[in-house]
Amino acid sequence: MSRRENSLCRLSHLGRTRRTIEPERTIEPERTVEPERTIEPQVIINYQQSAEYFESIYVKNTSGRRILSFKSLIDGISDISSHCSSCSVAKISLDLERRKGLSTECVFKCACGWVAVICSDSDCNTLSINDSFTWGCECSPVGFSAGTSLLTTMDLPCPDYRTFKKAEVNCKALKEDAFAQEMKENLARERELAIEANSFVIVEGVRYAAITVCVDGGWSKRSYGHSYTANCGIGVIIGMQTKKIIFADTRCSTCIVCDKGNIENQDHDCPKNWSGPATAMESHILKSGFAQSRLHGLVYRKFIGDGDSSVHANIEDVYPGIKAKKN
Ligand SMILES: [Zn+2]
Ligand SMILES: [Zn+2]
């Protein structure tokens, strides 16, 4: 860089610093009266027309920490930098912060009226930060109290209980849908492999692809030192070719809302679907799994399982005319 360029750089730097320290001298009266002329329309559309803009509670407390989208931060710095190089005022400060749980929107405003927003959620994120927090708690697994204790200790803002619960219900529904979709794909793959291997069986005059499955279930009998029978049981069927789950279900004999007899909550998402003994849960789940197989064009011709004879006796006669064989 030549000496002349160097001195020009210093001059431009000094000029910008002076404008920041003494903005009053450089503000043009016309711009102060009509700041709308200098606002870039695109930024205004993103910021002021957002759905919750008018209902927001603004804070201007800069203490603590925030989680911001890295893309939003880089874009924001770049926008502010390029605005400073073209604006005659170039005096930018944090105008306000809009917070909703972990989600933060920092609005930076120039004295000329131009605004830039740096936020927690940008297009590159698949889930909003409040939803991500709930999913993280589900996977950890910890509840609302443990999750918010962690955030508070780290000096981060927390979502409120209602927002968390709403995201939790949504998370549960999405997980169930994804699991059902995955099982459907696994069933289709098992059928493809059985057809490739020319493995078929005729049931009630219809030809089905015949496969071998692995079955198991579980329900806890007792905790240490107590006599205890579980309220919930699980059963799983795994395709032997893909080694993936093709059926899974649960049985639950209790519900905290129903057990309290609260008639105001009759439309709740009730988990209670079992009134028999806990010992019969596993065989009931596996039997319904076998019974549904023909809907997917499959017959579970052979099965591998542990030594529970009552379960095997229950599922071997599911298909009319043939017996499912234990391998
Ligand atoms: Zn400006
Ligand atoms: Zn219930």
Side-chain angles (χ1 to χ4, degrees):
M1 191 182 280
S2 71
R3 186 177 292 176
R4 187 170 174 274
E5 282 170 333
N6 250 331
S7 59
L8 275 173
C9 265
R10 277 203 301 276
L11 275 174
S12 70
H13 173 72
L14 285 171
R16 205 178 289 173
T17 311
R18 189 177 295 128
R19 277 201 294 273
T20 312
I21 295 166
E22 298 170 3
E24 298 79 8
R25 291 185 192 175
T26 54
I27 294 172
E28 291 169 24
E30 196 184 334
R31 290 189 181 200
T32 314
V33 175
E34 296 173 3
E36 296 81 6
R37 289 185 189 178
T38 57
I39 296 169
E40 291 177 13
Q42 205 174 10
V43 177
I44 288 302
I45 287 165
N46 289 341
Y47 167 53
Q48 287 198 331
Q49 292 188 356
S50 65
E52 292 163 336
Y53 173 74
F54 294 104
E55 301 164 10
S56 307
I57 298 168
Y58 306 125
V59 282
K60 204 171 179 183
N61 179 2
T62 51
S63 69
R65 298 193 176 92
R66 311 283 185 271
I67 298 176
L68 294 168
S69 149
F70 194 58
K71 183 179 183 297
S72 179
L73 183 68
I74 298 297
D75 290 350
I77 291 171
S78 169
D79 288 350
I80 289 169
S81 169
S82 58
H83 177 75
C84 283
S85 60
S86 62
C87 176
S88 59
V89 186
K91 187 188 176 187
I92 294 177
S93 60
L94 178 67
D95 187 46
L96 58 92
E97 181 196 1
R98 188 166 73 83
R99 275 218 312 260
K100 189 177 180 188
L102 269 166
S103 173
T104 298
E105 221 176 67
C106 297
V107 180
F108 293 89
K109 195 170 185 180
C110 181
C112 72
W114 180 88
V115 292
V117 181
I118 297 176
C119 58
S120 303
D121 298 308
S122 61
D123 293 343
C124 62
N125 294 328
T126 51
L127 280 175
S128 76
I129 187 139
N130 286 319
D131 286 345
S132 300
F133 172 66
T134 310
W135 276 70
C137 287
E138 284 276 312
C139 298
S140 298
V142 294
F144 177 74
S145 299
T148 50
S149 295
L150 175 70
L151 293 178
T152 309
T153 311
M154 292 173 73
D155 215 355
L156 286 162
C158 308
D160 62 89
Y161 184 73
R162 270 192 194 177
T163 307
F164 182 86
K165 277 290 158 192
K166 203 173 154 188
E168 199 176 51
V169 169
N170 191 31
C171 168
K172 187 182 165 217
L174 289 171
K175 271 187 177 177
E176 283 178 358
D177 287 350
F179 187 45
Q181 179 61 30
E182 197 176 327
M183 286 195 293
K184 208 172 160 186
E185 287 168 12
N186 296 341
L187 279 161
R189 183 66 188 138
E190 279 286 340
R191 188 165 181 269
E192 272 175 27
L193 292 171
I195 291 169
E196 277 174 25
N198 203 27
S199 172
F200 294 99
V201 66
I202 308 286
V203 178
E204 293 183 320
V206 181
R207 196 169 80 140
Y208 295 96
I211 63 167
T212 302
V213 295
C214 182
V215 300
D216 205 0
W219 54 277
S220 48
K221 174 63 185 165
R222 68 182 69 224
S223 58
Y224 180 74
H226 302 86
S227 176
Y228 174 76
T229 304
N231 291 320
C232 298
I234 185 172
V236 180
I237 301 175
I238 295 167
M240 285 307 290
Q241 288 297 316
T242 58
K243 307 280 189 294
K244 288 180 177 173
I245 296 171
I246 54 176
F247 180 83
D249 207 354
T250 56
R251 294 290 179 270
C252 181
S253 60
T254 188
C255 167
I256 195 164
V257 179
C258 292
D259 292 351
K260 280 181 181 171
N262 191 344
I263 52 167
E264 288 173 10
N265 286 321
Q266 286 305 306
D267 59 344
H268 65 284
D269 184 15
C270 187
K272 190 172 180 176
N273 59 1
W274 184 248
S275 54
T279 45
M281 284 176 179
E282 181 184 345
S283 59
H284 192 263
I285 295 167
L286 296 176
K287 192 177 177 182
S288 72
F290 271 62
Q292 287 176 29
S293 71
R294 286 196 285 165
L295 297 173
H296 305 281
L298 285 163
V299 161
Y300 305 152
R301 188 78 179 91
K302 294 176 185 170
F303 63 90
I304 299 162
D306 54 24
D308 194 332
S309 57
S310 66
V311 172
H312 297 159
N314 222 333
I315 58 180
E316 66 182 1
D317 293 323
V318 168
Y319 305 113
I322 63 158
K323 268 190 187 295
K325 290 180 195 161
K326 189 185 175 192
N327 239 9

